[in-house]
Amino acid sequence: MEKLQPPRGTSDLLPQEMATQRYIFDTARAISQRYGFEEMATPIFEFTEVFARPLGETSDVVAKETYSFTDRGGAGLTLRPEGTAGVVRALISGGLTQNLPQKFFYGGAMFRYERPQKGRMRQFHQIGVELLGVSGAVGDAEMITLGALILAELGVAEQCTLHINTLGDGESRLAYRQALVDYLKPLRKKLSADSQRRLEANPLRILDSKDAGDRALLAEAPRLETYLNAESKAHFDSVLKFLDAEGVKYQINPHLVRGLDYYTHTSFEFITEALGAQGTLLAGGRYDGLAGMLGGADVAGVGWAAGVERLAMLIKAPSAPTVDVMLIGLSDELLVRLFPLGAELRRVGLRVELGYTHNLGKQLKRADRINATHAVILGDDEARRDGAILRDMESGAQEEVALKDLATKLRAKKS
RNA sequence: GCGGGUGUAGCUCAGUCGGUUAGAGCGCCAGAUUGUGGAUCUGGAAGUCGCGGGUUCAAAUCCCGUCACUCGCCCCA
């Protein structure tokens, strides 16, 4: 421990950052509730299989980015790298599949062992929503409009674009995947090293390659659109119809694919230019295959997650709360007489600070710094008359008020 | 995991053809104002120059390693 710093990829949330995160969290929760989503929470760690099975044993997230460990009882556990798998596991564990649909809002810390960058931490925070048991396109569309409304409420909607695509159902996806592999196999040598690897591990990801050579090859590649079966195509068209009805602007992006194996049909991302390579603010899609992969009955699902740190970088922090009154006693004996007043005011909801020393100048300075609107000053002269000075910190005007009347007076000023 | 950049006071940064006690602004503390904040003036404290090693008579400055941050790739919120 050379310089006493937090572990790589983690950071402290000092009050200012905490306030911003709290604001994002509260805003998202409040708006989700308007859509009927209720908050829930799952454990921060799960049995490793909960993530390994649905995410795919070979996916990078599971293969090299998880914090996995064996506990003292020998159980194989993993810190959650994302929220959806845990929520669906909870749905199955709790027998909630008997009572669908279920609508959840959640948020909290996620963990991925990655190379840190701005907007990409090893411990980071997500908020997310999951709609379970609704297979219709209305569900996809509702989730997207919920995301759009939250981003608008946070004031970042102007800075991002909604990209949307469909992967089709399992059948369509498989057929296309095969066609893509058949097309690319003979061209293997011309692909970038990364994409050659993807060809084995996750061929659809090649569509998202940033390599210029790959992109050129893809121009002639088979198109996903033509491999969609009738149901898949109808589902996507319907999603777009719902979005059009609400006037949600989107951009169809055939190269938008998901890294995680359980996604089907719609996938979408709200992307901003403002954060460089970490521009995805909120992303999700439909995952009708997930519950089955976890060993439960098939349950349709659609959801998204948003990166709190990324959002925090784009919004202006809510202003610091103001203090209603600062109580300053010019000696400990005098402060004792003000002490109960502080308690009384706090009981009725005022924010009260105490002067921790008896140096008047210093305490007024502190009152100024913490944005106190009023100060109560008690010195020997006033105390003899059972009064105290009430000072308006903005105007500097002050008057002597009887101690017994202070609470009433301050409450009146507050309202 | 791969490639590039950066790291000097609490903060933002100057300071490199290596050369006496390492600087500025902001902030902080004190005084002018011994019972009155926000302005001004004066003074002050504060730095293992990220850390470790090497080269040299001499290293913030050059070299190597390491840690952290950062940009791109991978992956992804």
Side-chain angles (χ1 to χ4, degrees), chain A residues 336-369:
Chain A
V336 164
R337 296 191 63 178
L338 287 179
F339 205 62
L341 174 64
E344 183 180 352
L345 292 171
R346 288 165 179 146
R347 270 195 293 274
V348 298
L350 271 68
R351 180 165 169 152
V352 180
E353 277 283 342
L354 292 177
Y356 293 126
T357 70
H358 308 306
N359 180 324
L360 181 54
K362 235 183 235 180
Q363 292 310 319
L364 280 174
K365 191 165 184 165
R366 181 163 154 253
D368 183 50
R369 197 153 35 201

Side-chain angles (χ1 to χ4, degrees), chain A residues 13 16-17 19-24 154 156 275 281 307-317:
Chain A
L13 293 174
Q16 196 178 334
E17 291 107 49
T20 304
Q21 287 213 2
R22 181 66 62 200
Y23 169 70
I24 291 168
L154 291 173
V156 303
L275 296 179
L281 290 175
V308 176
E309 282 82 0
R310 292 183 186 180
L311 289 169
M313 284 188 281
L314 296 181
I315 71 171
K316 57 180 190 316

Side-chain angles (χ1 to χ4, degrees), chain A residues 209-342:
Chain A
S209 175
K210 285 167 187 162
D211 182 84
D214 289 351
R215 283 178 175 278
L217 291 175
L218 287 170
E220 300 297 318
R223 298 171 60 86
L224 175 57
E225 205 182 338
T226 59
Y227 286 81
L228 293 178
N229 57 27
E231 290 96 320
S232 296
K233 191 155 173 37
H235 185 92
F236 191 52
D237 288 344
S238 182
V239 171
L240 298 183
K241 210 170 288 176
F242 275 109
L243 294 180
D244 290 336
E246 191 168 315
V248 175
K249 292 202 181 67
Y250 55 81
Q251 192 173 314
I252 295 176
N253 179 352
H255 292 167
L256 181 69
V257 290
R258 289 267 83 101
L260 307 181
D261 282 352
Y262 51 70
Y263 283 101
T264 56
H265 289 294
T266 318
S267 75
F268 56 90
E269 296 189 8
F270 288 85
I271 300 172
T272 178
E273 301 290 313
L275 296 179
Q278 278 71 243
T280 301
L281 290 175
L282 184 155
R286 177 164 283 283
Y287 50 84
D288 293 344
L290 177 55
M293 282 188 196
L294 281 173
D298 280 342
V299 177
V302 56
W304 54 251
V308 176
E309 282 82 0
R310 292 183 186 180
L311 289 169
M313 284 188 281
L314 296 181
I315 71 171
K316 57 180 190 316
S319 53
T322 59
V323 172
D324 296 308
V325 57
M326 171 116 168
L327 303 180
I328 305 169
L330 267 36
S331 70
D332 254 14
E333 290 68 35
L334 294 165
L335 189 56
V336 164
R337 296 191 63 178
L338 287 179
F339 205 62
L341 174 64

Side-chain angles (χ1 to χ4, degrees), chain A residues 2-3 10 18 22 30-31 47 57 91 117 155 166 189 203 212 215 219 249 257 262 299-300 320 328 334:
Chain A
E2 296 292 333
K3 202 193 166 183
T10 69
M18 193 72 227
R22 181 66 62 200
I31 292 174
F47 288 119
E57 303 278 357
L91 180 90
Q117 271 178 45
T166 181
K189 291 270 160 43
R215 283 178 175 278
K249 292 202 181 67
V257 290
Y262 51 70
V299 177
I328 305 169
L334 294 165

Side-chain angles (χ1 to χ4, degrees), chain A residues 55-125:
Chain A
L55 299 186
E57 303 278 357
T58 59
S59 77
D60 274 18
V61 170
V62 166
K64 53 183 206 193
E65 293 181 2
T66 51
Y67 281 89
S68 294
F69 60 100
T70 305
D71 75 5
R72 293 171 194 279
L77 302 174
T78 293
L79 298 184
R80 61 185 183 195
E82 58 96 39
T84 305
V87 170
V88 173
R89 192 233 80 224
L91 180 90
I92 298 168
S93 305
L96 302 176
T97 50
Q98 298 300 307
N99 188 19
L100 297 172
Q102 292 284 343
K103 306 170 77 172
F104 298 126
F105 168 85
Y106 65 88
M110 307 291 165
F111 305 85
R112 288 182 200 173
Y113 187 86
E114 296 184 278
R115 178 129 177 197
Q117 271 178 45
K118 187 169 57 176
R120 195 181 70 182
M121 310 283 286
R122 289 182 171 181
Q123 174 178 338
F124 62 104
H125 298 82

